[in-house]
Amino acid sequence: MSLPRHTRYDPVAITLHWLVAIVIVCNFALGVYMHELPLSPWKLKIYSWHKWAGVSAFLLVALRLAWRRFHTPPPMPESMPAWQRQLAQHGHHLLYLLMFAVPISGWLMSSALGVQTVYFGALPIPDLLDKDKELGEVLKQVHEALNLGMAAIVLGHAGAALKHHYLDRDDVLTRMLPWSKTPRNPQ
Amino acid sequence: MKRSLLACLLAVTLPAAAGEYSGFAADQSRVSFVSTQMNVPVEGRFQRFGGEIHFDPATPTTGSARLEVELQSIDTGLEEADEEVASAEWFDIAKHPKAVFESSAVEALGDQTYRIRGTLTIKGTTREIATEARFEPGAIGAFSGSFKLMRSDYAIGEGMWSDTSVVADDIEIRYRIAAPAQ
Ligand code: HEM
């Protein structure tokens, strides 16, 4: 077989990974910050921004998955034990699932609480649910729980990336970085 | 007894011919509003209000209405907002517990539609308003309609809340005001 085995993520996949990572990490922080704020115009503004960012994250993740469909990620290094590969794969799949579930739960929660999501104040996103306060409170818990779950997995994910880089000294981190063109351990 | 029963039947079967309506049917009435926050319309309502209307479709211009809304009974849709709007910056409910509408003129526009003029008093400010309402006859008749008010006209939402780029200045009031046929 003389198919060139790519060892790096392609530039689009890299761009989308980091764009989504920035939006999600910032929006997570925004969500934690805003929900303790006393009611004020600032709070209403932040809530809107948080929703817009969430919709943006959702769209970027959709784009990312569509791209991935036709651009297979590079295989994991042979040096990795099988269980680690499986764990990484399951972790990535779970992250994709959560990257959809988190914004969707936020959108449903907003609808149930009676505050529609209007993307950038211009594009109304239809309410799938009618206003229902109790359901809204339940969805709030769901949104929080999904976020905490995602935060835990992201920490594990970033930790694993650092472990690969500094302990295993393989190219798992560098092949997702926009710079560093040459693989560390050309095989 | 028989006659009033007959009158009731007539009122139901021949609603357009019903005579005068007067009093107030709270359970058939509704006062809600739509505010706009960051370009998002949010509906709320008042749970307690009372009033008195007198209206005879045969002589609409003699009709009159008075309505009092208990501001404390507001349901903005957001719990923390319900507390916030009681404050001095919003309704100042401690000093001005009620919003009052009093009609001054009723004009028939045809097709069961009427233009009702009157004064609206909120937070110590009284202003003229006009609204078009459709009348629905029946054993209980009801006027339904809406109008817009500028919250700045009544100093609703002062201080930091006067920024109308977050909570828009115009508030749509929607109502259904019902009274039994006599
Ligand atoms: C903040 C620090 C982060 C670091 C250091 C990091 C690092 C990495 C690295 C090195 C890879 C490539 C793994 C490989 O070579 O196979 C990767 C892939 C991935 N990352 Fe991250 N990441 C971070 C944040 C995030 C966040 C916030 C998310 C989403 C919630 C995320 C979701 C993913 C997913 C789904 C993949 C799999 C890509 C694929 O194979 O399709 N990452 N990340």
Side-chain angles (χ1 to χ4, degrees):
Chain A
M1 291 279 285
S2 59
L3 274 177
R5 280 189 68 194
H6 58 296
T7 52
R8 286 178 56 75
Y9 279 91
D10 66 88
V12 175
I14 292 176
T15 308
L16 285 171
H17 173 271
W18 292 109
L19 206 56
V20 169
I22 289 169
V23 172
I24 286 182
V25 169
C26 292
N27 216 28
F28 179 86
L30 200 62
V32 172
Y33 161 72
M34 72 185 194
H35 107 279
E36 291 299 329
L37 287 175
L39 188 62
S40 68
W42 173 244
K43 181 175 187 171
L44 295 181
K45 257 188 220 175
I46 298 255
Y47 265 72
S48 288
W49 294 343
H50 176 77
K51 293 185 189 186
W52 302 346
V55 175
S56 303
F58 178 89
L59 295 174
L60 286 169
V61 173
L63 195 64
R64 197 173 156 191
L65 259 193
W67 181 265
R68 189 187 203 270
R69 172 86 180 69
F70 301 103
H71 301 81
T72 315
M76 296 188 192
E78 320 246 294
S79 54
M80 273 172 84
W83 69 271
Q84 282 189 14
R85 286 190 226 183
Q86 282 210 344
L87 188 66
Q89 206 161 48
H90 289 319
H92 291 167
H93 289 166
L94 206 53
L95 278 174
Y96 278 117
L97 201 71
L98 285 167
M99 286 189 284
F100 280 118
V102 166
I104 289 174
S105 65
W107 163 57
L108 294 176
M109 165 179 76
S110 285
S111 295
L113 291 176
V115 186
Q116 198 185 15
T117 303
V118 180
Y119 196 33
F120 293 118
L123 182 73
I125 309 212
D127 285 323
L128 194 67
L129 297 176
D130 283 335
K131 186 169 172 177
D132 177 342
K133 207 163 166 188
E134 260 150 52
L135 183 60
E137 291 303 323
V138 172
L139 285 167
K140 196 188 254 177
Q141 307 278 324
V142 171
H143 188 63
E144 254 177 54
L146 289 172
N147 265 293
L148 291 180
M150 183 166 75
I153 298 176
V154 165
L155 282 180
H157 172 75
L162 295 179
K163 170 197 173 274
H164 277 284
H165 193 69
Y166 291 107
L167 298 182
D168 303 338
R169 305 190 148 267
D170 57 24
D171 64 351
V172 162
L173 176 59
T174 51
R175 66 197 199 157
M176 187 48 112
L177 294 178
W179 55 93
S180 73
K181 295 273 183 292
T182 43
R184 288 169 127 196
N185 300 320
Q187 281 158 3
Chain B
M1 181 64 194
K2 259 194 175 148
R3 276 190 52 176
S4 64
L5 206 73
L6 193 68
C8 263
L9 273 176
L10 275 175
V12 173
T13 50
L14 299 170
E20 206 195 332
Y21 296 82
S22 87
F24 190 65
D27 55 336
Q28 306 261 343
S29 301
R30 193 181 155 84
V31 178
S32 61
F33 58 91
V34 179
S35 65
T36 309
Q37 304 167 11
M38 295 293 288
N39 259 3
V40 182
V42 179
E43 189 168 7
R45 66 193 195 100
F46 291 97
Q47 326 225 49
R48 290 194 307 277
F49 45 85
E52 175 87 41
I53 71 179
H54 294 282
F55 180 67
D56 185 342
T59 53
T61 52
T62 62
S64 71
R66 182 183 160 84
L67 194 73
E68 293 189 356
V69 175
E70 277 185 51
L71 298 173
Q72 189 68 59
S73 74
I74 195 169
D75 173 6
T76 58
L78 301 171
E79 224 160 274
E80 56 180 346
D82 292 350
E83 288 165 30
E84 173 73 21
V85 295
S87 70
E89 283 183 333
W90 289 92
F91 287 125
D92 200 2
I93 287 180
K95 279 199 210 121
H96 307 282
K98 286 179 176 173
V100 179
F101 172 75
E102 192 134 23
S103 71
S104 55
V106 180
E107 181 190 342
L109 302 174
D111 194 23
Q112 305 277 30
T113 308
Y114 301 88
R115 178 175 294 124
I116 302 165
R117 291 174 197 283
T119 55
L120 180 60
T121 306
I122 308 173
K123 205 181 179 181
T125 303
T126 300
R127 289 187 174 261
E128 297 274 335
I129 62 158
T131 174
E132 273 180 30
R134 250 187 100 77
F135 186 70
E136 212 184 299
I140 290 188
F143 282 103
S144 309
S146 68
F147 62 94
K148 281 206 167 153
L149 63 78
M150 295 292 164
R151 63 186 180 90
S152 59
D153 284 351
Y154 300 89
I156 305 169
E158 296 175 84
M160 63 179 175
W161 291 105
S162 55
D163 175 1
T164 53
S165 74
V166 178
V167 178
D169 201 10
D170 49 321
I171 308 281
E172 187 184 337
I173 312 288
R174 297 175 177 169
Y175 57 86
R176 183 174 199 274
I177 302 299
Q182 296 306 301

